[in-house]
Amino acid sequence: MSIIEERRTEIRAQEITYQIAVATRTDDDRAEPTPRVMITLEAGGPGGEPVAEGSLDLDVAVAATVADLVADGLLAATGAGRGPRRRSAGRPAQQGRPWNEEMDAELENRWIAGESVAEIATYFERTPGGIRARLPRVGCDPENPGCYLPVPPSRRTDLDGEEPT
């Protein structure tokens, strides 16, 4: 094990002293060394008696997510804060998530059938801006409801079905 970076903090809150150490390290003894984060917590009461201790050993790729989850869990358990912070109130559930072929086909069908951007956004649980941004990707004209984008001259076919040369 090689320690890349280590930070130590001591915080006093009311009569308890917390010592937190965060170390970034790699496991050199593995065939493929992976970066890890080790978090150690110790807390002592006014007489030095231990009131908390523990550690987490995390893959660096999940450390930020685990930090958010721990913070949210502690805030919720103590009633010290609001609920989870990961999604702002009113944000559509599917905002930012990837689209698939079936969703693209449904988006195209709904647009061509004449549904409004607001109706489609509600159906897909996305923002109106997200819907307008996706429409050209499925060949629909976001400026003209119910219409496809025009085919550029370079991609049009002749009357006999062949592409122009």
Side-chain angles (χ1 to χ4, degrees), residues 24-93:
T24 307
R25 63 179 176 80
T26 58
D27 293 330
D28 292 331
D29 57 338
R30 293 187 175 187
E32 292 185 32
T34 55
R36 310 282 299 172
V37 175
M38 179 71 152
I39 304 166
T40 306
L41 167 72
E42 295 177 352
E49 71 278 4
V51 294
E53 66 178 314
S55 64
L56 289 171
D57 186 6
L58 307 167
D59 185 305
V60 76
V62 300
T65 301
V66 171
D68 285 345
L69 292 171
V70 169
D72 290 346
L74 288 172
L75 289 172
T78 62
R82 59 199 187 322
R85 298 172 298 175
R86 296 180 83 29
R87 186 168 298 280
S88 60
R91 179 178 167 192

Side-chain angles (χ1 to χ4, degrees), residues 61-142:
V62 300
T65 301
V66 171
D68 285 345
L69 292 171
V70 169
D72 290 346
L74 288 172
L75 289 172
T78 62
R82 59 199 187 322
R85 298 172 298 175
R86 296 180 83 29
R87 186 168 298 280
S88 60
R91 179 178 167 192
Q94 298 301 314
Q95 180 181 348
R97 300 205 189 269
W99 289 79
N100 60 38
E101 288 181 22
E102 292 83 20
M103 294 165 76
D104 281 343
E106 184 66 17
L107 173 63
E108 178 184 353
N109 289 339
R110 287 177 176 272
W111 183 251
I112 297 304
E115 286 189 33
S116 71
V117 168
E119 291 170 323
I120 296 171
T122 300
Y123 174 81
F124 283 107
E125 297 182 64
R126 295 181 184 262
T127 64
I131 297 300
R132 280 190 291 277
R134 191 69 186 181
L135 285 167
R137 293 180 183 220
V138 297
C140 295
D141 186 348

